[in-house]
Amino acid sequence: MTPVPLPSPPLRNLALSRQHLDRNGVDRTPASRLAELWASPDTRVLQVHAGRAPVVDTPEGPRLVLRAPGEVAAPGPEDLQLYLGVEDGVHHVAVVSTDAEPESTDGAAGGEEWRGLREVGEQLPARDAGLFTEALAMGNWHAVTRFSPRTGQPLTATSSGWVKAEPDGKEHFPRTDAAVIMAIVSPDDRLLLGHQPIWPANRYSVLAGFVEPGECFEDTVRREAFEEAGIVIGTELDDVRYLGSQPWPFPASLMVGFAARATTTDIRVDGDEIALARWFSREELAEELRTGGVLPPPGVSIARRLIEAWYGGPLPVEDRPWV
């Protein structure tokens, strides 16, 4: 029997994956670099408070509000100062705080709002989405990486925020957790969607799971499909096909997207990570979306794009935030 066709790579223009900024890693290391950038009126500063950044709506869509250093309050002792990179000769830095955003800002009268990356990541232009994603991911790492795992001593940020150092010079680097996310397709071309216990009623998405040490992506796809839903994935080379990747700083993931062919269809959910799972034809999914029986993942996520790659186009439903 001819194998069911899988979506073909690549997934184009993935939100949060369209970064055009030069991170300019070689320019991070001088101890004086951040001070030099703060002293320059040409530097642009992104403020992030409790995961939210200032955004203003324009005729072209939402845009980040980036300010000169002189327009930004001095960072607090617990705030992260981070060099983000350079674009067209303009250097960008971030100040990331766990505190709530200010009640008002200089641009508030012009329609400025503090908004989260999940809310606006899909609408932001590539440069802005990249800045926000980078700052949020690094802020999350710094927030949980405060003490040495060897000695318990406090760590100090160096290399313009990109390294945490121990008193003896031992360095710690940012952590990214790789996870696979996959559109699993049955032999009769139906799509497997699952519901996690912590999600609102009727929220469904494709399956996903973290890569374990010593494991390749393809093996993770096969292991997670079986562990979460009891589904066996084919063993041929093209039965697991890479489609694209997306940084997902909630808090520190890199989502690596695949399509996969199932060789079995009997579902046995683990009851822990996945409470319910179902196979959907395109017609069944469209009807469930129309009636509200299925709430899909938001448009900002690679999960939505994987579903649409199998579906053959945009889903016939209004986008809703992930809550």
Side-chain angles (χ1 to χ4, degrees), residues 91-113:
H91 295 276
H92 296 74
V93 300
V95 178
V96 185
S97 174
T98 57
D99 296 336
E101 65 269 15
E103 292 185 5
S104 63
T105 61
D106 293 340
E112 178 181 318
E113 296 181 355

Side-chain angles (χ1 to χ4, degrees), residues 108-128:
E112 178 181 318
E113 296 181 355
W114 290 81
R115 302 173 71 181
L117 185 62
R118 293 177 191 260
E119 299 175 67
V120 297
E122 187 179 17
Q123 292 80 40
L124 289 173
R127 192 278 311 270
D128 286 10

Side-chain angles (χ1 to χ4, degrees), residues 22-323:
D22 178 2
R23 295 193 175 196
N24 195 22
V26 297
D27 205 20
R28 297 171 181 165
T29 54
S32 62
R33 190 62 179 124
L34 278 176
E36 293 169 355
L37 292 172
W38 275 100
S40 171
D42 296 327
T43 299
R44 288 296 172 263
V45 182
L46 170 63
Q47 300 164 276
V48 178
H49 282 261
R52 299 163 70 86
V55 174
V56 64
D57 288 323
T58 75
E60 292 76 33
R63 298 291 185 269
L64 290 179
V65 178
L66 304 173
R67 294 189 165 88
E71 300 172 335
V72 177
E78 299 298 321
D79 294 344
L80 166 65
Q81 299 180 56
L82 177 71
Y83 179 50
L84 296 173
V86 61
E87 182 188 53
D88 297 331
V90 178
H91 295 276
H92 296 74
V93 300
V95 178
V96 185
S97 174
T98 57
D99 296 336
E101 65 269 15
E103 292 185 5
S104 63
T105 61
D106 293 340
E112 178 181 318
E113 296 181 355
W114 290 81
R115 302 173 71 181
L117 185 62
R118 293 177 191 260
E119 299 175 67
V120 297
E122 187 179 17
Q123 292 80 40
L124 289 173
R127 192 278 311 270
D128 286 10
L131 289 172
F132 199 168
T133 302
E134 184 180 354
L136 185 59
M138 288 297 293
N140 290 340
W141 176 66
H142 275 266
V144 299
T145 312
R146 302 177 62 188
F147 301 95
S148 166
R150 300 189 309 154
T151 67
Q153 292 179 294
L155 300 173
T156 302
T158 65
S159 296
S160 302
W162 283 88
V163 175
K164 301 293 284 280
E166 299 184 22
D168 65 1
K170 171 69 175 178
E171 294 181 328
H172 299 266
F173 297 91
R175 170 176 173 171
T176 296
D177 300 324
V180 299
I181 184 166
M182 54 276 194
I184 299 174
V185 183
S186 70
D188 59 351
D189 202 15
R190 292 177 294 161
L191 181 69
L192 182 67
L193 297 179
H195 170 80
Q196 291 191 12
I198 63 173
W199 289 349
N202 299 334
R203 176 73 73 185
Y204 280 83
S205 186
V206 291
L207 303 190
F210 288 107
V211 180
E212 293 186 346
E215 188 174 49
C216 68
F217 293 136
E218 293 82 358
D219 283 348
T220 308
V221 169
R222 293 184 170 95
R223 175 179 56 78
E224 288 288 344
F226 187 77
E227 289 180 357
E228 293 188 350
I231 297 300
V232 176
I233 303 299
T235 59
E236 297 298 322
L237 182 63
D238 195 45
D239 284 338
V240 178
R241 179 182 296 177
Y242 171 77
L243 296 181
S245 65
Q246 180 186 54
W248 194 248
F250 307 105
S253 295
L254 174 66
M255 306 304 297
V256 187
F258 292 88
R261 291 189 184 93
T263 61
T264 65
T265 57
D266 290 338
I267 297 172
R268 299 186 305 277
V269 297
D270 62 7
D272 181 17
E273 294 187 52
I274 301 296
L276 300 168
R278 295 173 53 190
W279 293 105
F280 292 87
S281 69
R282 290 170 180 80
E283 295 76 18
E284 290 168 341
L285 181 58
E287 177 62 16
E288 294 282 12
L289 292 170
R290 185 187 67 80
T291 62
V294 167
L295 303 177
V300 70
S301 67
I302 190 174
R304 177 69 163 264
R305 295 294 304 279
L306 288 169
I307 295 172
E308 291 177 339
W310 165 83
Y311 187 77
L315 297 182
V317 64
E318 181 179 352
D319 195 24
R320 303 182 186 181
W322 188 277
V323 294

